[in-house]
Amino acid sequence: MALVQEAEQRLTEAGIAFGHGTTNAFDEAAWLVLWRLRLPLDQLDENAERAVSPGAAAQVRTLVDERIATRKPAAYLTKEAWLQGVDFYVDERAIVPRSFIAELLADASIDNWLGEHTRRVLDLCTGNGSLAVLAAMAWPEVQVDAADISTEALEVAAINVARHQLDARVRLLPSDGLAGVDGVYDLILCNPPYVNAASMAALPQEYRAEPELALAGGADGMDFVRRLLADAPARMSEHAVLVLEIGNERPFFEAAFPHLEAVWLSTSAGDDQVLLLTRDALVAHP
């Protein structure tokens, strides 16, 4: 489609940064064009020769103009994000969902650490609620709590819980870390703020459009993680595990917790983005 090629060229020339659902100018262009034309996002080839009216083409160009001028992630313009083929609502109140934990839920990578005892799941730092929704979909027998310090993010999460008709199984909780949750959990999922201060200072504008609270992790990125790992055992059942995403911060994580026994999990981004911790490992950690 000529409009996609045109948009790709404009995004490339403008030096747009990606990483909020796409990784390159072509995919981002296809997303914007198909969304604006109200066409399925997975049917670019089928619509390659589709005639586009001058008015519709003008609307596409206006959307691309907005993407370039504002440097907002495309997801904030379309109010839509996709994770493992599931659609989610998103706006500036919450970070754009892109957690690699979603892959582990979809491919059952962590199921070996779960069992009949797995009944209560916590998605901490839930943001727009996407991991909580995916967990509830993956394990129909579990109850999921979705917690976040941001009440605005929880408003977005509520939209997604309702969209996927999971109100009976997903409970939204305002919570600063683990302070606002109750009881113990058999599985804790957490994609926390972990970006170190130097990386925060160098982030492209697209990332600065997101809530800083969801990204900034202090000097070494481990401020929230330190508190979480200290508090987690009291909120974990005997055989519980914690699945934690830390992005590109593995060196800082290992420097902060040199004696902690962690299982590093494979994702499409490699073997250093997500780790699993048992309750026993956390209790034994000095």
Side-chain angles (χ1 to χ4, degrees):
M1 188 180 287
L3 274 174
V4 173
Q5 294 174 337
E6 176 189 323
E8 177 188 15
Q9 182 176 350
R10 292 186 60 205
L11 294 172
T12 300
E13 292 174 350
I16 289 298
F18 307 106
H20 294 89
T22 66
T23 59
N24 58 77
F26 177 82
D27 288 348
E28 186 105 347
W31 180 9
L32 293 172
V33 171
L34 292 170
W35 180 84
R36 184 72 282 174
L37 296 178
R38 297 181 175 84
L39 296 172
L41 299 185
D42 60 352
Q43 294 185 14
L44 178 60
D45 291 343
E46 292 88 334
N47 291 282
E49 305 302 323
R50 185 186 183 94
V52 179
S53 70
Q59 288 183 332
V60 169
R61 293 186 178 104
T62 297
L63 180 60
V64 175
D65 286 343
E66 186 178 6
R67 174 69 177 90
I68 292 170
T70 65
R71 281 330 201 244
K72 290 182 179 180
Y76 285 160
L77 305 181
T78 65
K79 305 299 187 220
E80 164 180 286
W82 294 77
L83 209 53
Q84 293 299 309
V86 179
D87 64 305
F88 295 98
Y89 174 85
V90 70
D91 62 32
E92 286 88 340
R93 291 175 290 177
I95 192 172
V96 177
R98 51 187 180 272
S99 174
F100 290 110
I101 293 175
E103 295 180 10
L104 306 176
L105 300 181
D107 66 14
S109 291
I110 62 174
D111 282 20
N112 286 340
W113 281 274
L114 311 179
E116 290 296 322
H117 67 279
T118 308
R119 296 299 177 193
R120 295 192 76 214
V121 174
L122 172 65
D123 174 26
L124 187 61
C125 306
T126 193
N128 83 328
S130 52
L131 290 183
V133 167
L134 291 176
M137 289 178 169
W139 304 301
E141 69 281 4
V142 307
Q143 292 292 317
V144 181
D145 283 352
D148 204 290
I149 191 174
S150 169
T151 55
E152 289 192 336
L154 290 174
E155 292 169 359
V156 179
I159 294 171
N160 287 310
V161 171
R163 169 180 289 194
H164 294 287
Q165 301 180 355
L166 289 167
D167 303 78
R169 293 182 47 228
V170 178
R171 180 175 62 153
L172 302 175
L173 299 173
S175 183
D176 180 0
L178 292 169
V181 305
D182 56 70
V184 297
Y185 296 93
D186 307 305
L187 170 64
I188 298 176
L189 308 172
C190 187
N191 182 21
Y194 55 66
V195 182
N196 70 72
S199 295
M200 282 294 298
L203 284 178
Q205 283 181 256
E206 281 82 354
Y207 292 85
R208 294 185 176 279
E210 298 182 291
E212 182 178 348
L213 188 66
L215 297 172
D220 65 351
M222 294 295 114
D223 283 3
F224 183 94
V225 176
R226 284 187 182 88
R227 183 157 59 102
L228 170 62
L229 300 196
D231 295 343
R235 291 300 181 191
M236 298 171 74
S237 61
E238 181 182 2
H239 301 293
V241 294
L242 165 63
V243 176
L244 179 68
E245 184 160 340
I246 57 164
N248 298 314
E249 307 293 344
R250 179 169 178 171
F252 284 115
F253 179 87
E254 292 183 330
F257 310 102
H259 305 297
L260 180 58
E261 182 180 350
V263 178
W264 294 89
L265 303 173
S266 295
T267 71
S268 60
D271 300 336
D272 57 359
Q273 302 276 317
V274 181
L275 61 132
L276 180 146
L277 300 165
T278 65
R279 184 181 186 278
D280 287 344
L282 288 170
V283 170
H285 182 250

